[in-house]
Structures are given as structure tokens and as C-alpha cells.
Amino acid sequence: MQTKLLMRRLVLAAALFLVPALAGAQELRFFQLGTGPTGETRFPVGGLIANALSNPPGSRECDKGGSCGVPGMVAVAKSTGGSIANVEAIAGKRLDAALVHADIAYWAYHGTGIYKGKGAVSNLRGIAMLYPETLQLIARKDAKIASVKDLKGKRVSFGEMESGSLVHGKLLLEAFKLTEKQVKLSYLKPGPAADALAEGKLDAFLMVDAYPVPLIADLARRSDVVVVPLLGASVDAMLEKYPFLLRSDIAAATYQGQPDVVPSLGVGVTLVTGAEQDEKLIYGVTRALWHPSTQKLLAQSSPSSAHVHLDARAVEKMGIQLHGGASAFYFDAGLDR
């Protein structure tokens, strides 16, 4: 709540400061970027991207050390419930852009998977594939959970009701031939889930995030936990069935008490927008995202954002149609697909 209040005050202060400069100058435009829960990497990474996209009226010129964002625009990162909530907000035109897991975007655009029966989100468009995130299943050591199949009868949280991690958790249950009724599901945000596990009120929880996750690192320092491996024939079948899933091993010593590499799965994070957004605007957003100054900022800020590079990966495995503005930028950059 304090983070949201601070963000609103900063935006209001910026707007009030800029009003005198608007006469005869650029029009101020706000751009809302949906991220994820405050305990997940997508929230701070989204904040970095919003900062890079912003270039309010009166800013110093890019080539003189100023902002290299979209002229006249202030982008604001908003904490959200996660990928599904972000897709729904794009569909309802309540967000201008959002960070969404590649599989959720794929299903929403095609009206398949979890969107089968709901209908396709016809206005969903891609801007870029940003970076990979890893499925991290964390369990209390004394819960004796060595595999997904050991979640049977256990108290588990896969995330909030509209989160992408909940979808991934259900995919894991399906792959290991467990039903939702065979586990005691709670629908907790990452922070409360970690606290509940530390207090002995939860046996395991799933986070889909770039590692190391500070929240999990802190939990591992104060509680005996294990990172449950995702491997075997069930996982192989998932990789074959879902082309947007990747192999993603969690490096040894990522968390305290985790001496060895832990096999797991990964999924990409995409930046998406609505088809109704102006092509020139999204061209500018895409250009600002991949500007060398933005790349430098992201590379220096966090392990996950350091993976954001302008190369073929930016448009690979997205599985949805690019926005016309983004497509035009990639054509000009020689990366059209």
C-alpha cells in the first residue's frame, strides 16, 4: 500500500511540475504498465522499464545525457495480481502494456489452454520477449517433499487466483497425475506464502520468477527449506506438449542449504499491449526499450533484467502477433520475422 501511495505522489508531483512547460510544447501522456505482485521480479523490472520509457516534456535531450524514452510520455509501473490479471486488463483497455508469461499470452491470444471456452483475447499483441523465469517449488524440509507427486495431501500455495504461477502449478499437478482435490490449496501472494511456510502453516509454495528471488533467499536463511526438482518422464512430457516451456536449472548454492544444481522448468516473460494502441507510440516504446541507454540500465540493475537483449530472442517463442508498431521497429532493426 505504501509503495502504491508513493508512486501516486511521485506521478502527481511530476505532473504538477510539468504543467507550466506544456504551453506550446509537447502534450503530456501517461502510459500504464502492468507488472506483477510486489514480491516478484516483474514488479521492479517493470519499474525499470517504465523509467526507461519515460521522457516528460522539458526533459534533457537523449544525446545530451537526458531521457531516451518516448517524447512527452510518463510511464507508470503498476503492481498487479500477475499474468492473467494483466491480460484481462489489456483486454478491457485498463492498461497500456503489461508483462505476461509467454504461455498465458499464447493461450489468451489463441483462445486455447486455460482460455478454451472463454474465447480468444483478440486485441492482445506482442512487443518483445524479455527474459526467462524459472518455476521454483519451495518446500519445508520436514515436509519430506522430494517430487511434485509428494504434494498429495500437503498444504500448498501456487499463487493468487489470477496469477500465472497458479496456472503453472495446475500444469504440474496434471503432469504428475494429481488433482486439485488431492492437495490442500491456498491462494497466497509470495510474501504471505513464505511467511506461512516459515510458521509451519504451509508445506510448499510455487514461485515463477528469475532466480535468485530475494524473498526465497531470506526464507532459506531463517527456515530449513528445499528446492524441489522438476524432472523425469512427467516433465519431459510437459516440454513436448507445451513448446513455450524451457529447461531451466537452478544453479548450485543459489539458496542457503541448496548445494547442488536443481533441475526445473522455465517460461519467458513477454511485454504485451493492445492492438488499439497507436503504431507510432508502440514504435517509440519498442525503440526506447531497446535503446543502448536502456540496455545499460537493465544490465546493471538486476540478474533478470540483464538477460534483456536486442537480438533474435526478442521475437522468438512469443506465439502471438506483434503489434504493428513493434513489427515496424524490428523491420527497421533487421530483426523482422
Side-chain angles (χ1 to χ4, degrees):
M1 182 62 71
Q2 290 180 342
T3 300
K4 292 181 179 179
L5 181 60
L6 177 60
M7 185 68 74
R8 291 193 187 102
R9 287 176 176 173
L10 287 173
V11 171
L12 178 60
L16 291 174
F17 175 78
L18 292 166
V19 166
L22 293 179
Q26 298 164 332
E27 181 181 352
L28 178 64
R29 187 198 196 287
F30 287 100
F31 189 85
Q32 296 191 83
L33 174 65
T35 60
T38 54
E40 295 185 1
T41 300
R42 274 166 292 154
F43 179 67
V45 169
L48 291 169
I49 292 174
N51 182 58
L53 297 182
S54 298
N55 185 357
S59 297
R60 183 184 301 176
E61 294 179 12
C62 176
D63 58 3
K64 294 182 180 180
S67 171
C68 298
V70 180
M73 190 172 85
V74 174
V76 180
K78 297 185 66 175
S79 173
T80 68
S83 291
I84 296 176
N86 286 346
V87 167
E88 298 305 319
I90 292 290
K93 303 178 183 179
R94 297 188 300 277
L95 286 174
D96 297 301
L99 304 184
V100 175
H101 284 124
D103 52 351
I104 305 299
Y106 178 90
W107 285 325
Y109 178 77
H110 293 280
T112 57
I114 63 171
Y115 282 84
K116 188 175 182 179
K118 297 181 182 179
V121 180
S122 59
N123 72 323
L124 192 65
R125 295 292 185 272
I127 296 177
M129 180 72 77
L130 297 178
Y131 62 91
E133 290 191 338
T134 303
L135 277 66
Q136 300 173 65
L137 182 58
I138 311 300
R140 285 191 4 258
K141 194 170 184 178
D142 60 7
K144 301 186 185 306
I145 298 172
S147 169
V148 174
K149 64 182 179 182
D150 296 325
L151 294 178
K152 184 177 181 179
K154 297 293 196 300
R155 300 165 298 176
V156 183
S157 174
F158 291 145
E160 294 181 274
M161 287 298 294
E162 291 191 330
S163 67
S165 60
L166 177 60
V167 175
H168 298 125
K170 291 180 178 180
L171 289 182
L172 287 173
L173 292 182
E174 178 185 19
F176 282 83
K177 302 190 185 310
L178 290 175
T179 66
E180 293 180 47
K181 292 182 178 180
Q182 289 178 301
V183 297
K184 300 173 183 176
L185 274 181
S186 296
Y187 303 95
L188 304 175
K189 291 183 178 180
D195 290 339
L197 191 143
E199 295 167 3
K201 299 176 181 177
L202 197 69
D203 298 310
F205 70 93
L206 178 70
M207 278 193 74
V208 184
D209 208 337
Y211 67 82
V213 181
L215 181 149
I216 297 176
D218 175 69
L219 174 64
R221 284 190 291 268
R222 58 192 172 105
S223 303
D224 288 331
V225 299
V226 296
V227 184
V228 181
L230 303 181
L231 76 169
S234 296
V235 171
D236 293 340
M238 290 180 71
L239 286 164
E240 185 174 346
K241 183 176 181 180
Y242 303 113
F244 41 73
L245 289 179
L246 314 164
R247 292 195 183 275
S248 180
D249 294 342
I250 301 170
T254 293
Y255 302 115
Q256 185 170 311
Q258 182 224 325
D260 303 316
V261 173
V262 176
S264 191
L265 293 169
V267 63
V269 173
T270 62
L271 178 61
V272 301
T273 188
E276 67 282 354
Q277 295 289 338
D278 181 74
E279 287 202 7
K280 289 183 179 179
L281 171 67
I282 300 304
Y283 186 102
V285 166
T286 312
R287 179 174 57 189
L289 174 67
W290 299 119
H291 192 278
S293 65
T294 305
Q295 295 292 282
K296 183 177 180 181
L297 172 68
L298 295 173
Q300 295 174 345
S301 299
S302 75
S304 54
S305 62
H307 290 285
V308 181
H309 300 296
L310 178 58
D311 55 28
R313 289 172 294 182
V315 293
E316 283 180 346
K317 290 202 169 186
M318 193 177 300
I320 69 172
Q321 182 179 342
L322 283 172
H323 188 281
S327 181
F329 171 81
Y330 291 123
F331 179 83
D332 291 346
L335 288 174
D336 56 308
R337 55 179 186 176

